[in-house]
Amino acid sequence: MPSSTPIAVIDFETTGMTPAQGARATEIAIVLLQDGQVVDRFQSLMRTGVYIPSFITQLTGITNAMVADAPPAIDVMREAARFVGRSHMVAHNASFDSKFWAAELAHADIASTQRFACTVLLSRRLYPEARSHSLGNIVDHLGLPRAGRAHRAMADAEMAASLLARIQHDLRGRWGIAEPDFELLAGLQRCARPALSRWLAQWALAEDNATQRAR
């Protein structure tokens, strides 16, 4: 039976780089990961009324005609918020996706309460030898499968979830962390690279002590 709390791995496709400049989401995908396994998925295009520039269409394949037939963004975000529930969230370049998550929820009059961890930061700490930590490159570096077309929300969310599962697997196998949960990920992404080994050893020791006390 699953033992850990699910983590929601999210990806947005958007009309631009930041909500502060008027950009809006065009597509959202969320993959629920629990004990290293995908247990559920959510995906939808979303209509905001904001024009998609041609260079964005070339990058993502999402056209203005496609989103014209999509459900309103407010409805999509309300459903996405119900899907995520109280799960914490992970994204590849979370500084980007967390801003759109908060902004699109605000349009739907929903407060953003979820905490985010970032697989870019985590992969930089655990796999410093990789030549690049962009999603496609780090997935290739680790020999993980590509999933569909890059820069479509579900394909990128699936790859980020696969990367997160690999990170958790390596934390168990290489570092002796029995339960690499969200709290560990949140701390690890802030840990300076030179202090990584000691920090993880201390976490593993504290985890083992807590297990012994619980027996």
Side-chain angles (χ1 to χ4, degrees), residues 91-140:
H92 201 74
N93 190 12
S95 63
F96 175 88
D97 292 282
S98 62
K99 290 176 185 175
F100 279 95
W101 176 253
E104 294 297 343
L105 284 179
H107 285 294
D109 294 321
I110 300 172
S112 174
T113 59
Q114 291 80 9
R115 295 167 61 199
F116 273 79
C118 179
T119 47
V120 173
L121 299 178
L122 293 167
S123 67
R124 284 175 179 165
R125 280 148 181 78
L126 294 178
Y127 315 113
E129 74 283 358
R131 65 181 180 86
S132 165
H133 294 85
S134 68
L135 185 55
N137 284 331
I138 193 64
V139 161
D140 289 345

Side-chain angles (χ1 to χ4, degrees), residues 11-13 27-29 43 149 151-158:
D11 185 82
F12 279 105
E13 300 305 328
E27 187 178 38
I28 182 175
Q43 177 185 24
R149 172 178 175 155
H151 301 297
R152 286 301 299 266
M154 183 52 76
D156 286 354
E158 291 273 10

Side-chain angles (χ1 to χ4, degrees), residues 112-208:
S112 174
T113 59
Q114 291 80 9
R115 295 167 61 199
F116 273 79
C118 179
T119 47
V120 173
L121 299 178
L122 293 167
S123 67
R124 284 175 179 165
R125 280 148 181 78
L126 294 178
Y127 315 113
E129 74 283 358
R131 65 181 180 86
S132 165
H133 294 85
S134 68
L135 185 55
N137 284 331
I138 193 64
V139 161
D140 289 345
H141 173 77
L142 295 171
L144 301 172
R146 292 262 187 162
R149 172 178 175 155
H151 301 297
R152 286 301 299 266
M154 183 52 76
D156 286 354
E158 291 273 10
M159 287 193 292
S162 179
L163 173 58
L164 176 58
R166 173 62 180 270
I167 287 170
Q168 291 178 310
H169 174 271
D170 287 348
L171 286 167
R172 290 186 183 97
R174 290 168 53 185
W175 301 98
I177 308 292
E179 187 54 54
D181 59 10
F182 181 87
E183 295 304 326
L184 169 66
L185 302 175
L188 178 59
Q189 69 181 359
R190 297 190 298 268
C191 181
R193 186 69 182 79
L196 181 71
S197 295
R198 192 171 96 177
W199 190 90
L200 285 170
Q202 290 174 339
W203 187 284
L205 179 60
E207 185 182 61
D208 185 60

Side-chain angles (χ1 to χ4, degrees), residues 17-96:
M17 289 302 297
T18 172
Q21 297 176 350
R24 295 291 302 274
T26 58
E27 187 178 38
I28 182 175
I30 306 168
V31 174
L32 284 187
L33 192 72
Q34 187 170 27
D35 292 327
Q37 300 295 320
V38 174
V39 296
D40 208 351
R41 296 172 174 85
F42 174 87
Q43 177 185 24
S44 182
L45 291 167
M46 46 204 299
R47 172 165 47 90
T48 66
V50 174
Y51 180 78
I52 303 173
S54 59
F55 76 92
I56 295 291
T57 294
Q58 291 174 1
L59 180 68
T60 67
I62 299 172
T63 68
N64 286 287
M66 290 166 64
V67 296
D69 293 329
I74 288 174
D75 294 345
V76 173
M77 291 307 297
R78 287 174 178 163
E79 189 175 352
R82 286 192 294 269
F83 180 81
V84 170
R86 296 185 178 182
S87 294
H88 295 308
M89 305 188 80
V90 166
H92 201 74
N93 190 12
S95 63
F96 175 88

